[in-house]
Amino acid sequence: QQPVQSPQAVILREGEDAVINCSSSKALYSVHWYRQKHGEAPVFLMILLKGGEQKGHEKISASFNEKKQQSSLYLTASQLSYSGTYFCGTTGAGSYQLTFGKGTKLSVIP
Amino acid sequence: EAGVAQSPRYKIIEKRQSVAFWCNPISGHATLYWYQQILGQGPKLLIQFQNNGVVDDSQLPKDRFSAERLKGVDSTLKIQPAKLEDSAVYLCASSLDSEQPQHFGDGTRLSIL
């Protein structure tokens, strides 16, 4: 089942912070975060695993609430290069299939 | 390290024709994925290989789509015959295993006329 991302779009000025949320109605094993710029391939940002292990990007942080089946991606002191569409992908227990949400379009302006 | 290589970058065909895409994963990556990304949506998994075996092809339209990964390295994805709704970007990704980050290629943009 496809995870739900919010907001669908957000506009920030440089230096502002943003939070992108990802929620699922099914029990999750892992949450993956990717950023995709227009016409380019998705780029890996972060993996959060059930049990708390986190593998990711040094300038971006994320949380995984296992009870609520939710994850949040935190972008602090945004830069112009942060612009793009952010996707969360989720896997359930016993399933290798990564199911992506519809994405959150982030635009950072000077 | 070299990234995931895909070809061609663009392809335009008429409906009912056939088309094939090629992917060369990062060296040493056992897991290979093919995704379909329709404009404005997230990637949708079509098929996942572990070495040369299929792990998941539950969302692959098997009446028209086929994929293979010979010798557990390169992979090809074929559509025959193509339909208008197949217009999309086809992304190939690879990872060390199914719990590791996936690295995506630049994709093939397919347009069906």
Side-chain angles (χ1 to χ4, degrees), chain A residues 88-100:
Chain A
C88 72
T90 59
T91 65
S95 170
Y96 298 113
Q97 183 180 112
L98 190 62
T99 303
F100 284 93

Side-chain angles (χ1 to χ4, degrees), chain B residues 71-90:
Chain B
K71 300 180 182 179
V73 183
D74 292 5
S75 178
T76 55
L77 176 70
K78 297 179 181 178
I79 307 175
Q80 182 180 10
K83 292 185 175 181
L84 292 175
E85 61 259 35
D86 297 333
S87 292
V89 176
Y90 290 84

Side-chain angles (χ1 to χ4, degrees), chain B residues 12-102:
Chain B
I12 301 173
I13 62 173
E14 294 184 348
K15 59 183 179 183
R16 291 188 290 274
Q17 287 187 325
S18 62
V19 63
F21 313 125
W22 174 82
C23 173
N24 180 237
I26 292 173
S27 178
H29 281 195
T31 313
L32 185 146
Y33 315 79
W34 282 103
Y35 288 90
Q36 179 192 60
Q37 186 174 25
I38 293 173
L39 187 65
Q41 298 185 20
K44 172 188 167 185
L45 181 69
L46 293 176
I47 189 166
Q48 179 175 339
F49 292 94
Q50 181 71 20
N51 296 310
N52 60 351
V54 176
V55 173
D56 189 328
D57 63 356
S58 57
Q59 299 192 101
L60 186 74
K62 298 179 186 65
D63 58 334
R64 299 184 300 105
F65 286 65
S66 64
E68 60 182 8
R69 190 182 185 195
L70 300 175
K71 300 180 182 179
V73 183
D74 292 5
S75 178
T76 55
L77 176 70
K78 297 179 181 178
I79 307 175
Q80 182 180 10
K83 292 185 175 181
L84 292 175
E85 61 259 35
D86 297 333
S87 292
V89 176
Y90 290 84
L91 295 163
C92 178
S94 70
S95 63
L96 284 170
D97 61 51
S98 59
E99 292 188 5
Q100 297 297 319
Q102 296 183 24

Side-chain angles (χ1 to χ4, degrees), chain A residues 6-105:
Chain A
S6 63
Q8 289 185 321
V10 59
I11 300 174
L12 298 175
R13 292 199 177 274
E14 272 187 291
E16 291 182 337
D17 301 339
V19 179
I20 300 172
N21 300 302
C22 174
S23 64
S24 175
S25 59
K26 68 176 186 180
L28 298 178
Y29 176 72
S30 70
V31 180
H32 302 222
W33 286 97
Y34 288 81
R35 176 173 61 213
Q36 186 176 33
K37 295 182 181 287
H38 183 69
E40 298 181 8
V43 174
F44 168 75
L45 296 175
M46 187 84 63
I47 284 182
L48 300 106
L49 303 176
K50 187 175 182 179
E53 184 181 358
Q54 177 177 311
K55 307 175 187 180
H57 195 283
E58 59 184 18
K59 296 184 178 179
I60 296 173
S61 62
S63 63
F64 181 11
N65 186 324
E66 296 171 26
K67 287 185 179 179
K68 292 186 177 181
Q69 309 305 328
Q70 291 178 349
S71 177
S72 295
L73 186 72
Y74 305 97
L75 305 165
T76 56
S78 59
Q79 305 169 18
L80 294 176
S81 61
Y82 284 11
S83 292
T85 300
Y86 290 76
F87 292 100
C88 72
T90 59
T91 65
S95 170
Y96 298 113
Q97 183 180 112
L98 190 62
T99 303
F100 284 93
K102 292 185 176 180
T104 295
K105 185 174 182 180

